[in-house]
Amino acid sequence: MTRVLVTGAGGMLGRDLLAVLRTRPDLPVTAATRAGLDVTDAGAVRDAVGGHDVVLNAAAWTDVDGAETREADATAVNGDAVVHLAHACAVSGARLVHVSTDYVFAGNAVEPYPEDAPTGPVNAYGRGKLAGERAVARLLPETGYVVRTAWLYATHGRNFVTTMLRLAAERDRLDVVDDQRGQPTWSYRLAERLVALADAALAGDAAPGTYHGTAAGETTWYGLARAVFALRGLDPDRVRPTTSDSFPRPARRPRYSVLAHGRWAAAKLPPPEDWHADLAEALSLPRPGTPR
């Protein structure tokens, strides 16, 4: 029986990974929360990985702006900790499926980034995540998988979608950025895809390397906000477009974060679904975070 370790199990994606794995009795899972496993501790990571066949790494420093002033701390989680995980997996023989980000790219493209596009992060968070990617490629050339995602949301926790719903109840009008393009990605759908990739990896159907785990299609934050309003029966015209300059942030954001999905077919896995359909399903759930 295949044993799975989920790191970052208390976070948004980690919670959804556990929800998906609960539907798979053939995949007994160990849930490692931040309190239970310090991924920056090489010895603790080695002990946690032992006895598992697959590690799904959802542990991450996600404070993009905070990373600008605490880059070493952010990289310790997003880069150095991945080195520890990869070393441990190399010793134990486990597959590692590591979640990365669109922020490894500069964001100046005009068409979707393929998996092998040149990287060029524009902020500290992206640099740390790129270090993690390189660790997987260097240490696990045959058993390491990197899955880049972007614009992740859920109906639980703090994210753009839940923030829009909260602000809709507090304000008559919302100004939302309309000059950054990306792919809104439902955390639960990504979790399903990560588990499917792990299955394919164990079956020998998925080649190691980098995959893009975003939804299909593209929009702006403004377009996503309007879609959230419409799906909840609210007037989308309450959302007004604005520019990134209106919301200065410590960390520079990529203006274009659309990713291509060419490698899934080779792994005998279906392409990602459209973001509109995923958002509609997510917002139709009977209670937050509970898949139907």
Side-chain angles (χ1 to χ4, degrees):
M1 186 171 287
T2 300
R3 293 190 61 201
V4 180
L5 172 66
V6 175
T7 60
M12 179 173 67
L13 177 58
R15 288 175 58 185
D16 282 337
L17 279 167
L18 295 181
V20 171
L21 288 165
R22 280 197 294 269
T23 71
R24 294 285 303 275
D26 60 316
L27 296 176
V29 61
T30 301
T33 63
R34 182 169 59 179
L37 175 62
D38 178 1
V39 292
T40 67
D41 182 332
V45 167
R46 183 178 59 251
D47 292 343
V49 169
H52 294 89
D53 303 287
V54 176
V55 177
L56 302 176
N57 182 34
W61 174 295
T62 58
D63 181 0
V64 175
D65 290 322
E68 290 299 300
T69 55
R70 298 179 60 190
E71 184 165 0
D73 293 332
T75 302
V77 178
N78 293 339
D80 301 339
V82 185
V83 174
H84 303 329
L85 284 164
H87 270 304
C89 288
V91 171
S92 71
R95 267 69 167 184
L96 174 61
V97 180
H98 168 63
V99 179
S100 190
T101 175
D102 61 301
Y103 278 39
V104 299
F105 294 119
N108 55 4
V110 294
E111 59 185 20
Y113 285 100
E115 292 86 349
D116 61 354
T119 54
V122 297
N123 55 40
Y125 170 76
R127 290 190 292 270
K129 294 295 282 186
L130 182 58
E133 289 192 9
R134 288 173 171 168
V136 176
R138 183 177 71 255
L139 298 170
L140 297 172
E142 302 299 327
T143 55
Y145 298 78
V146 169
V147 180
R148 295 177 180 137
T149 194
W151 291 33
L152 209 59
Y153 69 86
T155 52
H156 57 83
R158 295 177 59 186
N159 57 79
F160 182 85
V161 169
T162 57
T163 296
M164 289 300 101
L165 292 173
R166 174 177 58 82
L167 292 177
E170 299 173 357
R171 303 180 186 176
D172 292 331
R173 301 283 182 182
L174 280 76
D175 294 328
V176 181
V177 169
D178 194 34
D179 58 4
Q180 296 176 26
R181 298 196 69 80
Q183 296 155 307
T185 302
W186 185 20
S187 177
Y188 187 82
R189 189 71 76 222
L190 173 62
E192 291 180 319
R193 187 158 288 273
L194 293 172
V195 173
L197 180 60
D199 282 335
L202 290 166
D205 292 330
T210 302
Y211 295 74
H212 285 165
T214 50
E218 63 181 83
T219 188
T220 65
W221 293 114
Y222 165 72
L224 174 56
R226 285 180 60 89
V228 170
F229 271 54
L231 286 166
R232 277 297 171 86
L234 305 171
D235 181 4
D237 288 338
R238 290 172 56 194
V239 182
R240 300 177 298 192
T242 189
T243 66
S244 300
D245 293 339
S246 301
F247 294 98
R249 308 286 291 275
R252 180 181 167 192
R253 264 62 174 178
R255 292 298 181 98
Y256 186 85
S257 292
V258 181
L259 307 182
H261 308 110
R263 295 203 68 199
W264 293 104
K268 301 179 181 178
L269 293 170
E273 299 175 46
D274 185 80
W275 73 267
H276 295 89
D278 281 349
L279 181 65
E281 183 174 351
L283 292 182
S284 72
L285 297 180
R287 59 185 186 278
T290 305
R292 290 184 297 187

